[in-house]
Structure formats: C-alpha cells, structure tokens
C-alpha cells in the first residue's frame, strides 16, 4: 500500500526519525504532537490550556495538509504529565471537537521534554 508523508509548510525538523503525519489508504496518522515552536522548544510553559491549543492547531495543520479537517478525526491518544491539567485540557479540546467527538484515551506519563504538559496523537479518516 503506498503512503504519503505529510509535513505542513513551515514545520520544524522533528527531534527523532519520524514525520508529522502519514497518509495511507485515506487514513491520516498524526505523530505524537507536543507544543513545539520551529526550533523544538516548548511554548506556553506551565499553561496546559495553551499547550493543548498549540498541539491541536499543529494536528489540524497536518490533517489539512493531507486534505482533511478535524471533523475527519476518529481517534486521539492523549498523554498528560499531571491529572491537575485534565480539566483545562478538556475545555480546549471541546472547542476543537464541538460536534461528534472522536474516540480517545488519556493517560498520565512523562514526556520527552520536561516543560511539555500534553502530547496528542491522532487518526483521521478522510471523507471521500
């Protein structure tokens, strides 16, 4: 099955050997996304809501570059560093998914950068 690597215009260079997204058979797989600027520095340190907004905007950019919208998202994997941020994350998350909500899971864990509070990976099935 052929695949297409998805890198939105203006993206920074990933920290590890991966691409921001992959499109295969109408499905977009978005890599785990942190609140990075173009130099891979965490933005909005200490602010879980703004980091969530930044992460979701980055995910939106990957999906739009592939030809879809956030309405095409079917599944999100959410990783947070502390449950104290759960309410703030959910408040922003609900703004980006106001209608039918994608399936998801959420776990607490350590992330690759100490100032990162949230990471989200997504799967989107593009409308045909």
């Amino acid at each position: 099955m052929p695949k297409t690597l998805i890198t939105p215009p203006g993206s920074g260079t990933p920290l590890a050997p991966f691409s921001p997204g992959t499109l295969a058979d109408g499905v977009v797989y978005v890599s785990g996304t942190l609140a990075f600027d173009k130099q891979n520095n965490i933005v909005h340190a200490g602010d879980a809501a703004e980091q969530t907004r930044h992460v979701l905007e980055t995910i939106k950019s990957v999906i739009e570059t592939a030809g879809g919208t956030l309405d095409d998202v079917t599944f999100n994997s959410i990783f947070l560093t502390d449950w104290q941020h759960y309410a703030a994350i959910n408040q922003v998350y609900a703004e980006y998914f106001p209608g039918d909500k994608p399936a998801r899971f959420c776990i607490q864990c350590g992330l690759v950068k100490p100032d990162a509070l949230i990471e989200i990976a997504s799967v989107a099935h593009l409308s045909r």
Side-chain angles (χ1 to χ4, degrees), residues 2-127:
K3 66 181 179 184
T4 303
L5 302 181
I6 307 298
T7 303
S11 294
T13 302
L15 286 175
F18 67 89
S19 64
T22 303
L23 173 64
D25 200 26
V27 180
V28 180
Y29 301 91
V30 182
S31 293
T33 304
L34 295 123
F36 280 145
D37 63 15
K38 291 179 185 174
Q39 290 76 41
N40 292 318
N41 298 307
I42 293 294
V43 296
H44 310 294
D47 189 334
E50 287 307 308
Q51 282 193 18
T52 301
R53 187 173 314 283
H54 189 94
V55 165
L56 290 170
E57 285 294 326
T58 302
I59 290 169
K60 179 180 172 186
S61 175
V62 172
I63 293 169
E64 287 178 348
T65 299
T69 71
L70 287 180
D71 288 338
D72 297 315
V73 174
T74 57
F75 192 81
N76 286 309
S77 303
I78 303 172
F79 307 90
L80 61 117
T81 59
D82 194 314
W83 287 115
Q84 75 177 352
H85 304 303
Y86 190 66
I89 289 166
N90 279 328
Q91 184 174 0
V92 174
Y93 183 91
E95 294 172 22
Y96 283 81
F97 300 102
D100 294 335
K101 310 290 188 255
R104 74 178 211 185
F105 71 78
C106 185
I107 62 170
Q108 180 180 340
C109 63
L111 298 175
V112 69
K113 291 276 193 162
D115 288 337
L117 303 175
I118 182 168
E119 180 173 350
I120 301 175
S122 299
V123 177
H125 289 254
L126 301 188
S127 301

